[in-house]
Amino acid sequence: MTLTVAVQMDPLAGINIAGDSTFALMLSAQARGHRLFHYSAEDLNWSDGRLWANAHPVTVQRVDGDHFRFGQPVSLDLGEQADVVLMRQDPPFDLGYITATHLLERIADRTLVVNDPASVRNAPEKVWVLDFARFMPPTLVTRSLEEAKAFLAKHGEIVVKPLHGNGGKAIFKVGRDGANLSALIEVFNQTWREPHMIQAFLPAVAKGDKRIVLVDGEVAGAINRLPGEGEIRSNLAVGGSAEKTGLTAREREICAALAPELKARGLIFVGIDVIGGEWLTEINVTSPTGIVAIEKFDGTDVAGMIWDAIEAKVGESKVGERNARLPR
């Protein structure tokens, strides 16, 4: 089976090929003989029921500084000529991102979009996780300074973070004395119109924040991300480091609880974050990462597992029809 795969992502020139999950997915797809196209969300166009992108045919290779080659751009009809769209641009989850999900939703009955665009829109990382509050640390969603003070008084130490933040950015710990809490909430309220997430600080974060990857609801692997010296954030993008890990019984319980919902919502590639082996903090569905590090430590071909799941969902007859309509 040869698939036509349109990858909606950020510019290829700026990625870190050593750890980028989208690049790993592209390499894996290419090795299977799939045909790749690259475009950005800004390249989407819609008219008269058609959704198309000004896309470049692309080949990739694991060579620093020479990791991709573009062909001449084409007008690619995503509903008629693509078998799969990988929606892999990084957050922020802003109106541009939301609009792209609305547009891609219009072809989801004809083309497999990974992850499902309506589900991505309706399951932002720090909001959908509230459906699984029984697994979460004590959490408050608010814009109120008074509510934040009361939460701090109850839990002693807290963490304040943007509700739609990503990559470990703008995460602050506030100690028992509440120093700077008023100023912090003031800055957050001036910066973001939505509420903010406040959680009880978990000392176990010093031992790592586990990223568990699920493929079509099944556990594919995990890494433990350790914070850098003087940090509470363990995201690799802000200086954290990764190590080999396994799953606790509690983490397996969390994954089992999530699995039916992930399958039902068409969320094929998902990364969840768990602290201390028991506290679920995020369900990442927009552009999850971690598959390169998992393969490094475990030897698990997570990218291959993702393509196995995708290929199983795409029909052979439809692929043949679409290949015949590709721009030449």
PDB file of all heavy atoms in Angstrom, residues 299-312:
ATOM      1  N   GLY A 299      14.282   0.633  22.089  1.00  0.00           N
ATOM      2  CA  GLY A 299      14.336  -0.019  20.789  1.00  0.00           C
ATOM      3  C   GLY A 299      12.972  -0.204  20.150  1.00  0.00           C
ATOM      4  O   GLY A 299      12.846  -0.894  19.130  1.00  0.00           O
ATOM      5  N   THR A 300      11.947   0.414  20.730  1.00  0.00           N
ATOM      6  CA  THR A 300      10.587   0.270  20.204  1.00  0.00           C
ATOM      7  C   THR A 300      10.378   1.217  19.035  1.00  0.00           C
ATOM      8  O   THR A 300      10.614   2.421  19.147  1.00  0.00           O
ATOM      9  CB  THR A 300       9.544   0.588  21.304  1.00  0.00           C
ATOM     10  OG1 THR A 300       9.795  -0.252  22.423  1.00  0.00           O
ATOM     11  CG2 THR A 300       8.137   0.353  20.793  1.00  0.00           C
ATOM     12  N   ASP A 301       9.917   0.666  17.913  1.00  0.00           N
ATOM     13  CA  ASP A 301       9.662   1.474  16.723  1.00  0.00           C
ATOM     14  C   ASP A 301       8.267   2.078  16.834  1.00  0.00           C
ATOM     15  O   ASP A 301       7.302   1.593  16.230  1.00  0.00           O
ATOM     16  CB  ASP A 301       9.787   0.602  15.469  1.00  0.00           C
ATOM     17  CG  ASP A 301       9.554   1.377  14.175  1.00  0.00           C
ATOM     18  OD1 ASP A 301       9.510   2.634  14.230  1.00  0.00           O
ATOM     19  OD2 ASP A 301       9.398   0.734  13.121  1.00  0.00           O
ATOM     20  N   VAL A 302       8.147   3.165  17.612  1.00  0.00           N
ATOM     21  CA  VAL A 302       6.840   3.776  17.833  1.00  0.00           C
ATOM     22  C   VAL A 302       6.315   4.391  16.543  1.00  0.00           C
ATOM     23  O   VAL A 302       5.113   4.311  16.249  1.00  0.00           O
ATOM     24  CB  VAL A 302       6.893   4.820  18.959  1.00  0.00           C
ATOM     25  CG1 VAL A 302       5.507   5.408  19.220  1.00  0.00           C
ATOM     26  CG2 VAL A 302       7.440   4.211  20.247  1.00  0.00           C
ATOM     27  N   ALA A 303       7.191   5.008  15.763  1.00  0.00           N
ATOM     28  CA  ALA A 303       6.750   5.562  14.476  1.00  0.00           C
ATOM     29  C   ALA A 303       6.140   4.461  13.603  1.00  0.00           C
ATOM     30  O   ALA A 303       5.101   4.659  12.968  1.00  0.00           O
ATOM     31  CB  ALA A 303       7.916   6.225  13.753  1.00  0.00           C
ATOM     32  N   GLY A 304       6.762   3.287  13.593  1.00  0.00           N
ATOM     33  CA  GLY A 304       6.216   2.175  12.840  1.00  0.00           C
ATOM     34  C   GLY A 304       4.868   1.723  13.376  1.00  0.00           C
ATOM     35  O   GLY A 304       3.959   1.376  12.604  1.00  0.00           O
ATOM     36  N   MET A 305       4.704   1.746  14.694  1.00  0.00           N
ATOM     37  CA  MET A 305       3.420   1.390  15.290  1.00  0.00           C
ATOM     38  C   MET A 305       2.332   2.376  14.864  1.00  0.00           C
ATOM     39  O   MET A 305       1.187   1.988  14.596  1.00  0.00           O
ATOM     40  CB  MET A 305       3.542   1.358  16.812  1.00  0.00           C
ATOM     41  CG  MET A 305       4.442   0.270  17.355  1.00  0.00           C
ATOM     42  SD  MET A 305       4.687   0.388  19.155  1.00  0.00           S
ATOM     43  CE  MET A 305       3.022   0.037  19.735  1.00  0.00           C
ATOM     44  N   ILE A 306       2.700   3.650  14.806  1.00  0.00           N
ATOM     45  CA  ILE A 306       1.730   4.663  14.395  1.00  0.00           C
ATOM     46  C   ILE A 306       1.314   4.442  12.944  1.00  0.00           C
ATOM     47  O   ILE A 306       0.127   4.499  12.598  1.00  0.00           O
ATOM     48  CB  ILE A 306       2.310   6.073  14.612  1.00  0.00           C
ATOM     49  CG1 ILE A 306       2.469   6.345  16.116  1.00  0.00           C
ATOM     50  CG2 ILE A 306       1.423   7.139  13.962  1.00  0.00           C
ATOM     51  CD1 ILE A 306       3.274   7.586  16.446  1.00  0.00           C
ATOM     52  N   TRP A 307       2.286   4.140  12.083  1.00  0.00           N
ATOM     53  CA  TRP A 307       1.940   3.898  10.680  1.00  0.00           C
ATOM     54  C   TRP A 307       1.162   2.602  10.512  1.00  0.00           C
ATOM     55  O   TRP A 307       0.280   2.510   9.643  1.00  0.00           O
ATOM     56  CB  TRP A 307       3.188   3.923   9.803  1.00  0.00           C
ATOM     57  CG  TRP A 307       3.641   5.326   9.572  1.00  0.00           C
ATOM     58  CD1 TRP A 307       4.765   5.933  10.039  1.00  0.00           C
ATOM     59  CD2 TRP A 307       2.919   6.327   8.849  1.00  0.00           C
ATOM     60  NE1 TRP A 307       4.799   7.245   9.662  1.00  0.00           N
ATOM     61  CE2 TRP A 307       3.672   7.515   8.924  1.00  0.00           C
ATOM     62  CE3 TRP A 307       1.726   6.334   8.150  1.00  0.00           C
ATOM     63  CZ2 TRP A 307       3.265   8.699   8.328  1.00  0.00           C
ATOM     64  CZ3 TRP A 307       1.302   7.513   7.551  1.00  0.00           C
ATOM     65  CH2 TRP A 307       2.068   8.679   7.639  1.00  0.00           C
ATOM     66  N   ASP A 308       1.437   1.598  11.318  1.00  0.00           N
ATOM     67  CA  ASP A 308       0.622   0.382  11.283  1.00  0.00           C
ATOM     68  C   ASP A 308      -0.839   0.719  11.582  1.00  0.00           C
ATOM     69  O   ASP A 308      -1.761   0.228  10.905  1.00  0.00           O
ATOM     70  CB  ASP A 308       1.124  -0.633  12.306  1.00  0.00           C
ATOM     71  CG  ASP A 308       2.419  -1.313  11.893  1.00  0.00           C
ATOM     72  OD1 ASP A 308       2.788  -1.235  10.698  1.00  0.00           O
ATOM     73  OD2 ASP A 308       3.062  -1.926  12.777  1.00  0.00           O
ATOM     74  N   ALA A 309      -1.046   1.564  12.594  1.00  0.00           N
ATOM     75  CA  ALA A 309      -2.411   1.943  12.971  1.00  0.00           C
ATOM     76  C   ALA A 309      -3.073   2.758  11.866  1.00  0.00           C
ATOM     77  O   ALA A 309      -4.258   2.568  11.560  1.00  0.00           O
ATOM     78  CB  ALA A 309      -2.391   2.727  14.284  1.00  0.00           C
ATOM     79  N   ILE A 310      -2.312   3.674  11.260  1.00  0.00           N
ATOM     80  CA  ILE A 310      -2.863   4.506  10.185  1.00  0.00           C
ATOM     81  C   ILE A 310      -3.226   3.645   8.976  1.00  0.00           C
ATOM     82  O   ILE A 310      -4.326   3.751   8.413  1.00  0.00           O
ATOM     83  CB  ILE A 310      -1.860   5.604   9.794  1.00  0.00           C
ATOM     84  CG1 ILE A 310      -1.748   6.651  10.922  1.00  0.00           C
ATOM     85  CG2 ILE A 310      -2.265   6.270   8.474  1.00  0.00           C
ATOM     86  CD1 ILE A 310      -0.642   7.667  10.710  1.00  0.00           C
ATOM     87  N   GLU A 311      -2.297   2.781   8.565  1.00  0.00           N
ATOM     88  CA  GLU A 311      -2.528   1.951   7.384  1.00  0.00           C
ATOM     89  C   GLU A 311      -3.748   1.048   7.576  1.00  0.00           C
ATOM     90  O   GLU A 311      -4.497   0.780   6.632  1.00  0.00           O
ATOM     91  CB  GLU A 311      -1.285   1.128   7.079  1.00  0.00           C
ATOM     92  CG  GLU A 311      -0.132   1.974   6.555  1.00  0.00           C
ATOM     93  CD  GLU A 311       1.175   1.206   6.500  1.00  0.00           C
ATOM     94  OE1 GLU A 311       1.179  -0.006   6.829  1.00  0.00           O
ATOM     95  OE2 GLU A 311       2.204   1.810   6.127  1.00  0.00           O
ATOM     96  N   ALA A 312      -3.962   0.596   8.822  1.00  0.00           N
ATOM     97  CA  ALA A 312      -5.101  -0.273   9.091  1.00  0.00           C
ATOM     98  C   ALA A 312      -6.431   0.454   8.923  1.00  0.00           C
ATOM     99  O   ALA A 312      -7.470  -0.173   8.704  1.00  0.00           O
ATOM    100  CB  ALA A 312      -4.994  -0.849  10.510  1.00  0.00           C
TER     101      ALA A 312
END
